[in-house]
Amino acid sequence: MKLTKKIISLIFFIMLIGCTTEHDATPDKPQDLGNNHISNNTTIGNSLKNTTKNLDNRVRKISSTNDKTKDVQSLDHAAEKPKRTPTDKEKPQKVDVRGIYLNRTSIREENVQKYIDLIKSSNLNAAVIDIKDDYGKLTYDSSIDLANQIGSDNNPAVSDLNKLTQRFKDAGIYTIARVVVFKDPYLAANKQEYAIKRKDGTIWQDPSGTKWIDPYKEEVWHYITSIAKEASDNGFDEIQYDYIRFPERGKQVDQEVTFDNPNGLTKAENILSFLKYSEEQLKNQPSYVSADVFGLVTTATDDMGIGQLWENISPHVDYISPMTYPSHYAPGSYGVPNPDRAPYDIMARAMKDAKERNAALEENGEESATIRPWVQDFDYLSNYTVQDVQKQIQAIYDQGITQYLIWNAGNVYTVDAFQ
Protein backbone atom coordinates (compact mmCIF):
# COMPACT_ATOMS: atom_id res chain seq x y z
CA MET A 1 0.00 0.00 0.00
CA LYS A 2 1.14 3.56 -0.56
CA LEU A 3 2.45 5.69 2.26
CA THR A 4 0.95 8.83 0.84
CA LYS A 5 -1.74 9.57 -1.67
CA LYS A 6 -3.52 12.64 -2.95
CA ILE A 7 -7.26 12.56 -2.69
CA ILE A 8 -8.57 13.56 -6.08
CA SER A 9 -12.29 13.75 -6.64
CA LEU A 10 -13.00 12.60 -10.19
CA ILE A 11 -16.42 12.43 -11.73
CA PHE A 12 -16.64 10.05 -14.66
CA PHE A 13 -19.50 10.39 -17.10
CA ILE A 14 -20.78 7.71 -19.37
CA MET A 15 -19.17 8.75 -22.61
CA LEU A 16 -20.67 8.01 -25.95
CA ILE A 17 -17.80 7.04 -28.19
CA GLY A 18 -18.20 7.69 -31.88
CA CYS A 19 -21.88 7.54 -32.82
CA THR A 20 -23.72 8.06 -29.57
CA THR A 21 -26.76 6.01 -30.39
CA GLU A 22 -24.95 3.15 -32.05
CA HIS A 23 -21.38 3.18 -30.81
CA ASP A 24 -19.40 2.54 -27.67
CA ALA A 25 -21.34 4.06 -24.84
CA THR A 26 -19.83 2.66 -21.70
CA PRO A 27 -18.98 4.11 -18.32
CA ASP A 28 -15.43 5.43 -18.18
CA LYS A 29 -14.64 4.65 -21.80
CA PRO A 30 -12.18 6.86 -23.69
CA GLN A 31 -12.89 8.48 -26.99
CA ASP A 32 -11.12 6.11 -29.37
CA LEU A 33 -12.19 2.52 -29.35
CA GLY A 34 -10.24 1.83 -32.46
CA ASN A 35 -8.32 -1.17 -31.26
CA ASN A 36 -9.96 -3.94 -29.77
CA HIS A 37 -12.70 -1.45 -29.88
CA ILE A 38 -13.78 0.73 -32.70
CA SER A 39 -13.39 4.07 -34.35
CA ASN A 40 -16.20 5.68 -36.30
CA ASN A 41 -14.43 5.56 -39.61
CA THR A 42 -12.93 2.10 -39.44
CA THR A 43 -14.04 -0.73 -41.65
CA ILE A 44 -12.65 -4.11 -42.52
CA GLY A 45 -12.12 -3.82 -46.23
CA ASN A 46 -13.87 -5.77 -48.91
CA SER A 47 -10.57 -6.70 -50.52
CA LEU A 48 -8.43 -8.95 -48.37
CA LYS A 49 -5.53 -8.27 -50.73
CA ASN A 50 -5.27 -4.75 -49.37
CA THR A 51 -5.57 -5.30 -45.65
CA THR A 52 -3.62 -2.23 -44.60
CA LYS A 53 -5.81 0.13 -46.58
CA ASN A 54 -8.98 -1.57 -45.39
CA LEU A 55 -7.98 -2.01 -41.77
CA ASP A 56 -10.03 0.78 -40.32
CA ASN A 57 -11.64 -2.16 -38.59
CA ARG A 58 -14.39 -0.76 -36.41
CA VAL A 59 -13.35 -3.33 -33.92
CA ARG A 60 -14.85 -3.16 -30.58
CA LYS A 61 -18.26 -1.62 -31.06
CA ILE A 62 -20.38 -1.14 -27.99
CA SER A 63 -24.04 -0.42 -27.53
CA SER A 64 -25.59 2.24 -25.35
CA THR A 65 -26.21 1.63 -21.68
CA ASN A 66 -29.60 3.19 -22.36
CA ASP A 67 -30.64 0.18 -24.44
CA LYS A 68 -33.85 -0.83 -22.69
CA THR A 69 -34.39 -3.91 -24.83
CA LYS A 70 -31.71 -5.85 -22.98
CA ASP A 71 -31.69 -6.57 -19.29
CA VAL A 72 -29.85 -8.41 -16.55
CA GLN A 73 -31.12 -10.33 -13.58
CA SER A 74 -30.46 -9.62 -9.90
CA LEU A 75 -30.78 -12.01 -6.96
CA ASP A 76 -29.82 -11.86 -3.29
CA HIS A 77 -26.25 -11.07 -2.28
CA ALA A 78 -23.97 -14.11 -2.06
CA ALA A 79 -21.93 -14.90 1.04
CA GLU A 80 -18.20 -14.25 0.74
CA LYS A 81 -15.49 -16.76 1.63
CA PRO A 82 -11.87 -16.29 2.71
CA LYS A 83 -9.50 -14.74 0.19
CA ARG A 84 -7.17 -16.71 -1.98
CA THR A 85 -3.62 -15.93 -0.94
CA PRO A 86 -1.00 -14.66 -3.41
CA THR A 87 1.17 -17.69 -2.61
CA ASP A 88 -1.10 -20.05 -4.54
CA LYS A 89 1.11 -20.55 -7.60
CA GLU A 90 -0.69 -23.41 -9.33
CA LYS A 91 -2.24 -22.76 -12.72
CA PRO A 92 -6.04 -22.87 -12.70
CA GLN A 93 -7.72 -25.81 -14.34
CA LYS A 94 -8.36 -25.13 -18.00
CA VAL A 95 -12.02 -24.73 -18.84
CA ASP A 96 -14.07 -23.92 -21.92
CA VAL A 97 -14.59 -20.24 -21.22
CA ARG A 98 -17.86 -18.53 -22.10
CA GLY A 99 -17.74 -15.05 -20.64
CA ILE A 100 -18.93 -11.46 -20.62
CA TYR A 101 -17.02 -8.20 -20.25
CA LEU A 102 -17.50 -6.03 -17.14
CA ASN A 103 -16.39 -2.39 -17.04
CA ARG A 104 -15.29 -0.42 -13.96
CA THR A 105 -18.86 0.62 -13.11
CA SER A 106 -20.17 -2.94 -13.22
CA ILE A 107 -17.55 -4.18 -10.76
CA ARG A 108 -18.48 -1.67 -8.06
CA GLU A 109 -19.79 -3.28 -4.89
CA GLU A 110 -23.39 -2.33 -5.54
CA ASN A 111 -23.39 -3.83 -9.07
CA VAL A 112 -21.34 -7.02 -8.83
CA GLN A 113 -24.03 -9.41 -7.68
CA LYS A 114 -26.39 -8.89 -10.59
CA TYR A 115 -23.65 -9.92 -13.01
CA ILE A 116 -22.73 -12.94 -10.94
CA ASP A 117 -26.40 -13.87 -10.99
CA LEU A 118 -26.59 -13.32 -14.75
CA ILE A 119 -23.65 -15.64 -15.34
CA LYS A 120 -24.90 -18.30 -12.95
CA SER A 121 -28.40 -18.26 -14.44
CA SER A 122 -27.07 -18.81 -17.96
CA ASN A 123 -24.64 -21.12 -19.73
CA LEU A 124 -21.83 -18.58 -19.14
CA ASN A 125 -18.99 -19.27 -16.72
CA ALA A 126 -16.49 -16.38 -16.94
CA ALA A 127 -16.06 -12.63 -16.49
CA VAL A 128 -13.55 -10.30 -18.20
CA ILE A 129 -12.97 -7.56 -15.62
CA ASP A 130 -11.40 -4.16 -16.27
CA ILE A 131 -8.16 -3.85 -14.29
CA LYS A 132 -6.50 -1.18 -16.44
CA ASP A 133 -9.09 0.51 -18.61
CA ASP A 134 -9.10 2.49 -21.83
CA TYR A 135 -8.41 5.70 -19.95
CA GLY A 136 -5.23 4.24 -18.46
CA LYS A 137 -6.88 4.18 -15.04
CA LEU A 138 -6.53 1.24 -12.68
CA THR A 139 -9.71 -0.02 -11.07
CA TYR A 140 -7.98 -0.99 -7.81
CA ASP A 141 -5.50 0.43 -5.29
CA SER A 142 -2.06 -0.52 -6.60
CA SER A 143 1.35 -0.90 -4.96
CA ILE A 144 3.24 -0.15 -8.19
CA ASP A 145 5.53 2.87 -7.87
CA LEU A 146 4.62 4.41 -11.23
CA ALA A 147 0.89 4.02 -10.57
CA ASN A 148 1.33 5.74 -7.22
CA GLN A 149 3.50 8.47 -8.75
CA ILE A 150 1.01 9.50 -11.43
CA GLY A 151 -2.15 8.57 -9.53
CA SER A 152 -3.49 6.13 -12.09
CA ASP A 153 -5.06 4.18 -9.22
CA ASN A 154 -6.77 7.14 -7.57
CA ASN A 155 -10.48 6.69 -6.81
CA PRO A 156 -10.47 2.95 -7.55
CA ALA A 157 -13.76 1.25 -8.36
CA VAL A 158 -12.73 -1.72 -6.22
CA SER A 159 -11.65 -1.32 -2.61
CA ASP A 160 -10.25 -4.86 -2.29
CA LEU A 161 -9.25 -6.58 -5.53
CA ASN A 162 -8.50 -9.90 -3.90
CA LYS A 163 -11.91 -9.91 -2.26
CA LEU A 164 -13.61 -9.12 -5.57
CA THR A 165 -11.77 -11.90 -7.38
CA GLN A 166 -12.59 -14.39 -4.67
CA ARG A 167 -16.25 -13.43 -4.80
CA PHE A 168 -16.42 -14.45 -8.45
CA LYS A 169 -14.37 -17.58 -7.85
CA ASP A 170 -16.57 -18.64 -4.96
CA ALA A 171 -19.45 -18.55 -7.43
CA GLY A 172 -17.51 -20.87 -9.73
CA ILE A 173 -16.74 -18.11 -12.25
CA TYR A 174 -13.47 -18.02 -14.18
CA THR A 175 -11.83 -14.60 -13.82
CA ILE A 176 -9.98 -12.70 -16.55
CA ALA A 177 -8.18 -9.41 -15.83
CA ARG A 178 -8.41 -7.04 -18.80
CA VAL A 179 -5.30 -4.86 -19.14
CA VAL A 180 -5.35 -2.19 -21.85
CA VAL A 181 -1.76 -1.88 -23.04
CA PHE A 182 -0.65 0.89 -25.41
CA LYS A 183 -3.76 3.03 -25.53
CA ASP A 184 -3.14 4.95 -22.31
CA PRO A 185 -4.03 8.65 -22.41
CA TYR A 186 -3.52 9.00 -18.65
CA LEU A 187 0.08 7.77 -18.68
CA ALA A 188 0.79 9.76 -21.85
CA ALA A 189 -0.46 12.95 -20.18
CA ASN A 190 1.39 12.40 -16.91
CA LYS A 191 4.63 10.93 -18.29
CA GLN A 192 4.93 12.69 -21.61
CA GLU A 193 8.27 11.06 -22.36
CA TYR A 194 6.34 7.81 -22.94
CA ALA A 195 3.77 9.29 -25.36
CA ILE A 196 3.80 8.93 -29.13
CA LYS A 197 5.30 12.17 -30.45
CA ARG A 198 4.76 14.06 -33.65
CA LYS A 199 7.78 14.83 -35.76
CA ASP A 200 7.90 18.31 -34.19
CA GLY A 201 8.10 16.79 -30.69
CA THR A 202 4.52 17.53 -29.62
CA ILE A 203 2.27 14.76 -28.34
CA TRP A 204 0.35 12.97 -31.08
CA GLN A 205 -3.37 12.33 -30.68
CA ASP A 206 -5.66 10.07 -32.67
CA PRO A 207 -8.73 11.48 -34.48
CA SER A 208 -10.78 11.33 -31.27
CA GLY A 209 -8.15 13.32 -29.37
CA THR A 210 -6.76 10.35 -27.42
CA LYS A 211 -3.06 10.16 -26.58
CA TRP A 212 -1.24 6.85 -26.99
CA ILE A 213 1.89 5.36 -25.50
CA ASP A 214 4.83 4.66 -27.82
CA PRO A 215 4.85 0.83 -27.96
CA TYR A 216 8.64 0.86 -28.32
CA LYS A 217 9.06 2.27 -24.77
CA GLU A 218 10.33 -0.66 -22.74
CA GLU A 219 9.70 1.23 -19.48
CA VAL A 220 6.02 0.87 -20.30
CA TRP A 221 6.44 -2.86 -20.82
CA HIS A 222 7.59 -3.06 -17.21
CA TYR A 223 4.58 -1.05 -16.03
CA ILE A 224 2.15 -3.29 -17.91
CA THR A 225 3.66 -6.56 -16.71
CA SER A 226 3.78 -5.23 -13.15
CA ILE A 227 0.04 -4.65 -13.33
CA ALA A 228 -0.39 -8.15 -14.77
CA LYS A 229 1.60 -9.61 -11.88
CA GLU A 230 -0.47 -7.69 -9.37
CA ALA A 231 -3.69 -8.98 -10.91
CA SER A 232 -2.31 -12.51 -10.88
CA ASP A 233 -1.28 -12.18 -7.23
CA ASN A 234 -4.83 -11.14 -6.46
CA GLY A 235 -6.22 -14.38 -7.77
CA PHE A 236 -7.12 -13.83 -11.42
CA ASP A 237 -7.11 -16.97 -13.51
CA GLU A 238 -6.00 -15.11 -16.62
CA ILE A 239 -4.49 -11.83 -17.82
CA GLN A 240 -5.94 -10.45 -21.04
CA TYR A 241 -3.96 -7.87 -23.02
CA ASP A 242 -6.14 -5.48 -25.00
CA TYR A 243 -4.95 -2.73 -27.37
CA ILE A 244 -1.73 -4.65 -27.75
CA ARG A 245 -1.02 -2.77 -30.95
CA PHE A 246 -0.08 0.48 -32.62
CA PRO A 247 -2.77 3.03 -33.55
CA GLU A 248 -4.81 2.19 -36.62
CA ARG A 249 -4.47 4.03 -39.95
CA GLY A 250 -0.85 2.94 -39.72
CA LYS A 251 0.50 4.51 -42.91
CA GLN A 252 -0.95 7.91 -42.08
CA VAL A 253 0.28 7.71 -38.49
CA ASP A 254 3.79 6.83 -39.70
CA GLN A 255 3.84 10.05 -41.72
CA GLU A 256 2.89 12.10 -38.65
CA VAL A 257 5.02 10.66 -35.85
CA THR A 258 8.50 9.56 -34.89
CA PHE A 259 8.66 6.41 -32.79
CA ASP A 260 11.45 5.85 -30.27
CA ASN A 261 12.81 2.81 -32.08
CA PRO A 262 16.61 2.65 -31.67
CA ASN A 263 16.77 -1.03 -32.64
CA GLY A 264 14.92 -0.52 -35.92
CA LEU A 265 12.22 -3.08 -35.18
CA THR A 266 9.14 -3.32 -37.34
CA LYS A 267 5.82 -2.86 -35.58
CA ALA A 268 5.14 -6.59 -35.70
CA GLU A 269 8.61 -7.35 -34.33
CA ASN A 270 8.02 -4.91 -31.50
CA ILE A 271 4.72 -6.50 -30.46
CA LEU A 272 6.47 -9.86 -30.56
CA SER A 273 9.29 -8.48 -28.38
CA PHE A 274 6.77 -7.23 -25.84
CA LEU A 275 5.07 -10.63 -25.70
CA LYS A 276 8.41 -12.39 -25.17
CA TYR A 277 9.23 -9.90 -22.42
CA SER A 278 5.85 -10.58 -20.83
CA GLU A 279 6.42 -14.33 -21.02
CA GLU A 280 9.67 -13.96 -19.11
CA GLN A 281 8.18 -11.63 -16.50
CA LEU A 282 5.10 -13.77 -15.88
CA LYS A 283 6.63 -17.23 -16.20
CA ASN A 284 6.29 -17.94 -12.48
CA GLN A 285 2.79 -16.51 -12.15
CA PRO A 286 -0.21 -18.82 -11.82
CA SER A 287 -2.34 -17.00 -14.40
CA TYR A 288 -2.73 -17.74 -18.09
CA VAL A 289 -2.21 -14.94 -20.63
CA SER A 290 -4.42 -13.99 -23.57
CA ALA A 291 -4.45 -11.29 -26.25
CA ASP A 292 -7.26 -9.50 -28.07
CA VAL A 293 -6.62 -8.87 -31.77
CA PHE A 294 -8.46 -7.24 -34.66
CA GLY A 295 -10.94 -9.59 -36.28
CA LEU A 296 -9.20 -9.44 -39.64
CA VAL A 297 -5.93 -10.69 -38.09
CA THR A 298 -7.39 -14.18 -38.64
CA THR A 299 -7.16 -13.60 -42.39
CA ALA A 300 -4.72 -10.78 -43.17
CA THR A 301 -1.23 -11.80 -44.21
CA ASP A 302 0.40 -8.53 -43.12
CA ASP A 303 0.28 -6.67 -39.81
CA MET A 304 -2.15 -4.07 -41.23
CA GLY A 305 0.12 -1.29 -39.99
CA ILE A 306 -0.73 -1.96 -36.33
CA GLY A 307 1.79 -4.67 -35.52
CA GLN A 308 -0.68 -7.53 -35.05
CA LEU A 309 0.40 -10.62 -36.95
CA TRP A 310 -1.24 -13.94 -36.06
CA GLU A 311 2.00 -15.92 -36.36
CA ASN A 312 3.78 -13.59 -33.91
CA ILE A 313 1.04 -13.55 -31.29
CA SER A 314 -0.54 -17.00 -31.19
CA PRO A 315 2.64 -18.89 -30.11
CA HIS A 316 3.27 -16.53 -27.19
CA VAL A 317 -0.10 -16.47 -25.40
CA ASP A 318 -2.37 -19.15 -24.04
CA TYR A 319 -5.53 -17.76 -25.64
CA ILE A 320 -6.10 -15.48 -28.63
CA SER A 321 -9.36 -13.54 -29.05
CA PRO A 322 -10.18 -12.08 -32.47
CA MET A 323 -12.83 -9.36 -32.29
CA THR A 324 -14.97 -10.75 -35.03
CA TYR A 325 -17.93 -8.36 -35.06
CA PRO A 326 -20.00 -8.78 -38.26
CA SER A 327 -21.16 -5.15 -38.28
CA HIS A 328 -17.56 -3.97 -38.65
CA TYR A 329 -16.77 -5.81 -41.86
CA ALA A 330 -17.13 -3.84 -45.08
CA PRO A 331 -19.59 -4.92 -47.77
CA GLY A 332 -18.04 -7.68 -49.84
CA SER A 333 -15.78 -9.02 -47.09
CA TYR A 334 -15.38 -12.78 -47.57
CA GLY A 335 -17.71 -12.36 -50.55
CA VAL A 336 -20.61 -11.42 -48.27
CA PRO A 337 -22.61 -8.42 -49.60
CA ASN A 338 -23.88 -7.29 -46.18
CA PRO A 339 -21.72 -8.72 -43.36
CA ASP A 340 -23.82 -7.07 -40.64
CA ARG A 341 -26.77 -9.24 -41.64
CA ALA A 342 -24.68 -12.39 -42.02
CA PRO A 343 -23.41 -13.03 -38.48
CA TYR A 344 -23.07 -16.79 -39.01
CA ASP A 345 -21.16 -16.53 -42.29
CA ILE A 346 -18.70 -13.90 -41.08
CA MET A 347 -17.90 -15.71 -37.84
CA ALA A 348 -17.59 -19.08 -39.56
CA ARG A 349 -15.16 -17.77 -42.18
CA ALA A 350 -13.03 -15.92 -39.64
CA MET A 351 -12.80 -18.98 -37.39
CA LYS A 352 -11.95 -21.23 -40.34
CA ASP A 353 -9.04 -18.94 -41.22
CA ALA A 354 -7.92 -18.74 -37.59
CA LYS A 355 -7.80 -22.53 -37.33
CA GLU A 356 -5.78 -22.76 -40.53
CA ARG A 357 -3.27 -20.22 -39.20
CA ASN A 358 -2.85 -22.24 -36.02
CA ALA A 359 -2.55 -25.48 -37.95
CA ALA A 360 0.26 -24.02 -40.06
CA LEU A 361 2.10 -22.96 -36.91
CA GLU A 362 1.78 -26.44 -35.44
CA GLU A 363 2.97 -28.06 -38.66
CA ASN A 364 6.13 -25.97 -38.30
CA GLY A 365 6.64 -27.25 -34.76
CA GLU A 366 5.41 -24.09 -33.03
CA GLU A 367 2.82 -23.83 -30.31
CA SER A 368 -0.45 -22.03 -30.91
CA ALA A 369 -2.98 -20.35 -28.65
CA THR A 370 -6.47 -21.63 -28.01
CA ILE A 371 -8.91 -19.64 -30.16
CA ARG A 372 -11.55 -17.77 -28.17
CA PRO A 373 -13.36 -15.13 -30.30
CA TRP A 374 -15.37 -12.11 -29.20
CA VAL A 375 -19.06 -12.16 -30.13
CA GLN A 376 -21.08 -9.05 -31.00
CA ASP A 377 -23.92 -8.29 -28.58
CA PHE A 378 -24.56 -4.63 -29.42
CA ASP A 379 -26.46 -2.65 -32.03
CA TYR A 380 -24.60 -0.71 -34.70
CA LEU A 381 -25.80 -0.92 -38.28
CA SER A 382 -28.88 -2.81 -37.14
CA ASN A 383 -30.54 -4.09 -34.00
CA TYR A 384 -28.77 -7.25 -32.92
CA THR A 385 -31.31 -9.79 -31.72
CA VAL A 386 -31.11 -12.98 -29.72
CA GLN A 387 -30.91 -14.87 -33.00
CA ASP A 388 -28.04 -12.72 -34.30
CA VAL A 389 -25.99 -13.42 -31.19
CA GLN A 390 -26.83 -17.11 -31.25
CA LYS A 391 -25.88 -17.43 -34.93
CA GLN A 392 -22.38 -16.24 -34.12
CA ILE A 393 -22.09 -18.73 -31.28
CA GLN A 394 -23.41 -21.53 -33.49
CA ALA A 395 -20.80 -20.70 -36.14
CA ILE A 396 -18.09 -20.91 -33.49
CA TYR A 397 -19.24 -24.35 -32.39
CA ASP A 398 -19.66 -25.55 -35.97
CA GLN A 399 -15.98 -24.76 -36.53
CA GLY A 400 -15.09 -26.98 -33.58
CA ILE A 401 -14.25 -24.05 -31.27
CA THR A 402 -15.71 -24.31 -27.79
CA GLN A 403 -14.93 -20.93 -26.21
CA TYR A 404 -16.13 -17.36 -26.72
CA LEU A 405 -16.51 -13.98 -25.05
CA ILE A 406 -19.45 -11.57 -25.37
CA TRP A 407 -18.82 -7.85 -25.92
CA ASN A 408 -21.12 -5.02 -24.93
CA ALA A 409 -19.26 -2.02 -23.56
CA GLY A 410 -22.22 -0.86 -21.51
CA ASN A 411 -22.58 -4.40 -20.13
CA VAL A 412 -26.24 -4.56 -21.15
CA TYR A 413 -26.48 -8.12 -22.42
CA THR A 414 -29.05 -10.12 -24.36
CA VAL A 415 -29.58 -12.64 -21.59
CA ASP A 416 -31.91 -14.88 -23.59
CA ALA A 417 -29.06 -15.63 -26.01
CA PHE A 418 -27.14 -17.45 -23.29
CA GLN A 419 -29.85 -19.56 -21.67
Side-chain angles (χ1 to χ4, degrees):
M1 297 295 292
K2 305 186 285 287
L3 296 177
T4 62
K5 199 166 191 179
K6 293 182 179 179
I7 301 176
I8 301 176
S9 178
L10 298 177
I11 300 176
F12 286 97
F13 291 93
I14 297 176
M15 302 181 67
L16 300 183
I17 310 304
C19 297
T20 55
T21 59
E22 305 167 301
H23 186 10
D24 327 8
T26 184
D28 298 336
K29 204 74 170 171
Q31 283 294 325
D32 165 54
L33 291 190
N35 170 16
N36 309 357
H37 311 298
I38 62 176
S39 288
N40 271 350
N41 302 320
T42 51
T43 310
I44 294 179
N46 46 13
S47 171
L48 297 180
K49 295 180 180 179
N50 192 0
T51 55
T52 299
K53 176 180 178 181
N54 292 314
L55 168 64
D56 286 336
N57 168 2
R58 288 169 255 157
V59 271
R60 185 157 271 180
K61 165 68 186 58
I62 25 195
S63 70
S64 171
T65 54
N66 294 324
D67 185 349
K68 301 301 183 182
T69 65
K70 303 174 183 179
D71 204 357
V72 294
Q73 304 171 10
S74 179
L75 304 176
D76 293 334
H77 212 279
E80 294 171 351
K81 296 182 181 179
K83 301 176 183 177
R84 163 180 171 159
T85 64
T87 57
D88 296 336
K89 290 296 184 182
E90 75 283 357
K91 292 276 188 184
Q93 181 178 357
K94 286 197 171 183
V95 298
D96 283 340
V97 166
R98 302 176 300 279
I100 56 174
Y101 160 69
L102 300 179
N103 60 42
R104 68 181 298 127
T105 298
S106 297
I107 60 175
R108 293 186 185 279
E109 173 65 25
E110 64 270 22
N111 297 325
V112 169
Q113 192 58 42
K114 68 180 179 181
Y115 290 105
I116 290 178
D117 295 338
L118 185 158
I119 293 169
K120 296 299 292 181
S121 66
S122 69
N123 64 2
L124 302 173
N125 63 1
V128 179
I129 296 171
D130 263 344
I131 295 302
K132 179 177 180 285
D133 66 17
D134 306 64
Y135 290 110
K137 294 288 287 182
L138 305 186
T139 59
Y140 66 99
D141 186 18
S142 175
S143 297
I144 298 169
D145 288 342
L146 181 55
N148 295 171
Q149 178 185 344
I150 66 174
S152 58
D153 64 339
N154 285 346
N155 285 352
V158 177
S159 60
D160 188 328
L161 186 59
N162 196 295
K163 185 177 179 180
L164 174 74
T165 310
Q166 191 61 48
R167 186 169 170 184
F168 279 92
K169 295 171 80 68
D170 288 346
I173 296 171
Y174 184 90
T175 54
I176 303 173
R178 177 177 178 256
V179 178
V180 175
V181 182
F182 297 123
K183 180 184 177 184
D184 191 333
Y186 193 86
L187 181 59
N190 287 277
K191 295 287 285 186
Q192 296 188 12
E193 61 268 35
Y194 298 155
I196 294 178
K197 301 290 200 317
R198 291 185 173 275
K199 295 185 184 299
D200 63 5
T202 60
I203 296 180
W204 177 88
Q205 299 179 51
D206 67 21
S208 68
T210 301
K211 301 178 180 70
W212 284 64
I213 293 301
D214 187 336
Y216 289 102
K217 295 287 188 180
E218 294 186 13
E219 300 92 336
V220 177
W221 300 4
H222 177 72
Y223 179 52
I224 294 298
T225 54
S226 295
I227 293 169
K229 287 179 184 178
E230 209 163 45
S232 179
D233 286 342
N234 277 281
F236 277 91
D237 297 310
E238 181 177 322
I239 309 301
Q240 181 190 86
Y241 290 137
D242 201 355
Y243 286 89
I244 181 173
R245 67 167 179 90
F246 288 73
E248 61 206 88
R249 301 177 304 112
K251 286 186 177 180
Q252 180 178 336
V253 173
D254 291 347
Q255 294 173 356
E256 299 171 350
V257 310
T258 299
F259 293 109
D260 185 8
N261 182 19
N263 297 320
L265 299 178
T266 66
K267 293 178 180 179
E269 288 170 343
N270 183 72
I271 297 302
L272 174 59
S273 294
F274 167 76
L275 286 171
K276 289 182 176 180
Y277 176 85
S278 174
E279 279 185 304
E280 178 63 25
Q281 294 299 307
L282 303 182
K283 65 183 180 182
N284 295 321
Q285 296 297 130
S287 302
Y288 297 109
V289 176
S290 61
D292 294 340
V293 298
F294 271 3
L296 198 56
V297 171
T298 63
T299 304
T301 56
D302 62 8
D303 76 344
M304 300 181 291
I306 60 168
Q308 289 187 342
L309 189 64
W310 187 276
E311 286 73 17
N312 283 7
I313 297 174
S314 182
H316 296 284
V317 292
D318 299 297
Y319 301 92
I320 188 167
S321 295
M323 294 167 291
T324 321
Y325 307 132
S327 66
H328 302 327
Y329 285 77
S333 297
Y334 299 134
V336 177
N338 185 2
D340 177 62
R341 299 316 312 149
Y344 180 94
D345 295 339
I346 293 299
M347 182 64 78
R349 174 58 190 273
M351 293 303 98
K352 178 177 180 293
D353 288 352
K355 291 193 306 176
E356 290 176 355
R357 301 291 279 270
N358 268 357
L361 284 168
E362 292 163 9
E363 288 175 4
N364 289 330
E366 296 188 66
E367 295 182 355
S368 65
T370 299
I371 301 168
R372 184 200 289 154
W374 282 97
V375 168
Q376 176 174 340
D377 185 13
F378 54 83
D379 306 327
Y380 185 52
L381 299 180
S382 63
N383 178 44
Y384 254 53
T385 65
V386 171
Q387 291 73 29
D388 291 324
V389 176
Q390 289 178 334
K391 285 176 183 178
Q392 295 171 80
I393 295 172
Q394 187 60 53
I396 292 167
Y397 282 131
D398 287 351
Q399 288 297 316
I401 296 169
T402 55
Q403 306 194 33
Y404 57 85
L405 299 170
I406 311 294
W407 180 265
N408 179 295
N411 302 168
V412 184
Y413 291 102
T414 310
V415 179
D416 288 347
F418 320 126
Q419 299 301 318

